[in-house]
Structures are given as structure tokens and as C-alpha cells.
Amino acid sequence: MNTSSQQAPRLSPVVAGMWRLAEWGPDAAGTVRWVEQALELGITSFDHADIYGGYRVEALFGEALAAAPGLRNRLQLITKCGIKLVHPARPATRVHSYDSSRAHITASVDASLQALRTDRIDLLLLHRPDLLMDPDEVADTFAQLRTAGKVLHFGVSNHTPGQLALLHRRFPLVTNQVELSPLHMQALADGTLEQCVDLGLRPMIWSPLARGELFTSGGDQAQRVRATLAELAARHGVSPATVAYAWILRHPSRPHPITGSHRLHALQEAVAATALTLGAEDWYAIWQASMGHEVP
Ligand SMILES: NC(=O)c1ccc[n+]([C@@H]2O[C@H](COP(=O)([O-])OP(=O)(O)OC[C@H]3O[C@@H](n4cnc5c(N)ncnc54)[C@H](OP(=O)(O)O)[C@@H]3O)[C@@H](O)[C@H]2O)c1
């Protein structure tokens, strides 16, 4: 059953993750250049969260949007809310916690709109499951934000299938943004991705290269996966990173991987994976390398 495709936002196949933007240290002009280059590669969707960079990343990106009129209409903005960090930028927060109340979501969206210097967010996600969530209140808040034109689409992140279903029954969600890589395969095993297939929601995938550990970790699992990626990369004439992205893209839920790199070459390696369809044996070879054993 595909209940949500009509409402789905048009995200690029590969999404650019902005988590580390503050560390990259560019000025507004440098960010404009970087975004333009990403757009040329076909990456038009940019993943934010209110908390990224200690509540600074959205504003840095917003400065770039303000410096380049017209840029906003060529890209999609994704952002998240619901995590409260103990941080000087939020002096009222005493405890690292989650908040999905109407007051918090509404205030967070208004702050994101102001920081990003835009009149609309294309996709808003609840960043983490709030154990105290009132799903009716969240659904009503989402409906109000959509009616006000402040947010066009809604989803969740890091939610279990049960948590997603609780909200989806009340308000149509378009994604669950979850972790998946050959080093972190829980979403393949706990029903998360099957639920996306069932509901017609395209998942977004964070840390597709396991924060770089796929290439830097000395652990046994990473070494096995690296050897398999290298073998497949040589066979297909692409880089190991491209094979890792192709492994994610091969899933029938049609995931959108989110890159985390500042390097344009790394973005190119991700986009190249959209032209590579792995055979099932190649896919399972990577699964086997990760698990350290064959399928039963
Ligand atoms: N919803 C959530 O809870 C959540 C959680 C985490 C992240 N996210 C989103 O997902 C995005 C991506 O996450 P991520 O940054 O962890 O993704 P990632 O692509 O798995 O990791 C990126 C890191 O890996 C490094 N890297 C990339 N290619 C490499 C290579 N060939 N060799 C060694 N290191 C390499 C990058 O360094 P270089 O810059 O030097 O390439 C960067 O530090 C974030 O920006 C954020 O938007 C969401």
C-alpha cells in the first residue's frame, strides 16, 4: 500500500547533510559556492537540525541564502526539532531531554525559519522519539504549521515502527530518517525499512559511511567490509564509497542517503552510486562481510 507518495516532497536522490557545516568554517560566499556546486551535481536537498553546530548551522546556511537571492527556490530545506540541549544558546534548558509539545515544536519552527532566512521549511522531522509524546497534539501542531504554510511536509527520525505508526495514523508522514551503513544494519533487522516499503515512505539514511569509520576503523568488522567493498569497487570500476552508497540505494524502500562530507569529490562518489545497481549477490556479500557469517 502506498498511502503517502502524493504528499511526498521532491528530494534529490542524494541529500547533503549540514551537521558539520560550522566546522567547515566557510563564510557566506564560500557556502554559496559550495551549495552551487552541490546543485550542479544534482544534490538539491539540504539536511539541517535546530541543534546542529550548537544551534549555529541553520543561521550560517541562512546567511548564504540571504547573500544569494534566488538560491532558496532551487533547493529543499529539511530541518528537525525536538531535542533540547543544555547549551549557552538555550539558557532555559536544564536537562538534556526531548520535547514534542505544541509550544516547543512551534517555537522551534519559528526559530528555524528566522535562522534559515526563509518563509517555509520543505520537510520537518521530529529528531528523536519523545517518550512523553502526545500524538494527537503533535498531529494537530503539524496540521497548523502546514495550514500556516510554514512547513510543507513532515516526518520523523530514529523512530521505531511502532512510534512512527502511532503518529502516521493521525497525520501523514513522509519519511523516517534513520542510521544505515554496512557497519550499522539495525534498520534492516527491526522492521524499520519494511514499514517504509509498506507505507510508501522513502527513508532518509544518516551516517551512510558510519561517520567515516567504514574507511578508518581498525576493527574486524570494518576491515572485512572494506575488503569486500574494495573487491566490488574494482569489479564495477567505481570507488569503495560509491559501492557503499549503492548498497544503501539497492534497498526497495528507495532510501535517500545523506552525505556528511564537505569534499566535493565525496559528494560525486555518492551521486555516482545512483548509476550503479548492485546485484543481489553483491549486496549479500557486503551483508555477510558485516555480519561475519553467511545468511542462515
Ligand atoms: N537524524 C539523525 O539523528 C542524524 C544523526 C547523524 C547525522 N544525521 C545527518 O546525516 C548527515 C550525514 O551523517 P554523517 O556525517 O555521519 O555521514 P557519513 O557520510 O557517514 O560520515 C561523514 C564523515 O565521514 C568522513 N568521510 C567521508 N568519506 C570518507 C572516506 N572515504 N574516508 C574517510 N573518511 C571519510 C567525512 O570526512 P570528510 O569531510 O573529510 O570527507 C565526514 O567526517 C549529517 O550531516 C546529518 O545531516 C542525522
Side-chain angles (χ1 to χ4, degrees):
M1 185 175 55
N2 186 330
T3 53
S4 295
S5 57
Q6 280 179 323
Q7 293 98 8
R10 283 172 192 262
L11 302 184
S12 50
V14 173
V15 172
M18 296 293 101
W19 181 17
R20 297 186 179 84
L21 176 66
E23 295 164 30
W24 300 341
D27 55 12
T31 302
V32 170
R33 276 195 300 278
W34 189 86
V35 169
E36 292 276 6
Q37 287 167 318
L39 291 174
E40 277 169 30
L41 291 174
I43 299 179
T44 63
S45 307
F46 295 82
D47 184 68
H48 289 266
D50 57 345
I51 59 170
Y52 284 174
Y55 295 94
R56 281 191 306 140
V57 160
E58 288 180 325
L60 290 171
F61 200 89
E63 284 169 21
L65 292 180
L71 194 55
R72 170 68 186 94
N73 289 336
R74 297 165 58 204
L75 53 82
Q76 300 83 44
L77 291 173
I78 300 137
T79 196
K80 316 184 193 78
C81 66
I83 298 180
K84 288 170 64 173
L85 297 181
V86 177
H87 190 277
R90 294 292 185 276
T93 303
R94 288 177 296 108
V95 178
H96 184 186
S97 51
Y98 304 140
D99 190 343
S100 60
S101 66
R102 183 191 311 274
H104 181 77
I105 293 174
T106 304
S108 187
V109 164
D110 285 341
S112 290
L113 288 170
Q114 193 178 6
L116 287 163
R117 313 247 202 136
T118 185
D119 61 350
R120 67 197 185 282
I121 291 162
D122 294 278
L123 175 58
L124 177 75
L125 311 179
L126 285 185
H127 206 153
R128 292 264 168 194
D130 174 11
L131 302 177
L132 303 177
M133 177 178 79
D134 174 342
D136 293 315
E137 182 177 339
V138 173
D140 199 46
T141 305
F142 282 2
Q144 282 179 339
L145 289 168
R146 186 162 64 185
T147 302
K150 294 181 176 181
V151 180
L152 307 185
H153 304 280
F154 298 83
V156 293
S157 181
N158 305 303
H159 280 51
T160 65
Q163 290 162 340
L164 185 148
L166 186 66
L167 197 49
H168 190 65
R169 276 195 289 275
R170 291 161 172 83
F171 189 95
L173 304 172
V174 301
T175 195
N176 193 2
Q177 186 179 120
V178 295
E179 180 172 25
L180 178 67
S181 73
L183 298 189
H184 296 274
M185 304 203 300
Q186 190 186 329
L188 287 171
D190 65 5
T192 296
L193 296 184
E194 281 96 338
Q195 180 186 46
C196 288
V197 173
D198 189 33
L199 296 174
L201 314 183
R202 293 181 69 173
M204 299 176 71
I205 302 301
W206 57 265
S207 296
L209 304 179
R211 293 162 287 276
E213 285 166 27
L214 207 48
F215 301 108
T216 56
S217 167
D220 290 349
Q221 184 193 31
Q223 292 193 41
R224 286 195 305 268
V225 171
R226 268 206 296 281
T228 303
L229 292 177
E231 184 196 323
L232 292 172
R235 181 139 51 79
H236 291 288
V238 297
S239 74
T242 296
V243 176
Y245 280 103
W247 182 82
I248 288 169
L249 289 165
R250 179 65 176 77
H251 195 271
S253 58
R254 301 191 299 142
H256 293 278
I258 313 171
T259 62
S261 183
H262 186 220
R263 293 176 298 114
L264 284 169
H265 179 66
L267 268 53
Q268 284 165 346
E269 289 180 310
V271 171
T274 62
L276 172 63
T277 303
L278 288 184
E281 288 194 10
D282 287 350
W283 193 91
Y284 276 104
I286 294 170
W287 186 94
Q288 180 176 313
S290 173
M291 298 296 285
H293 60 75
E294 297 178 355
V295 292

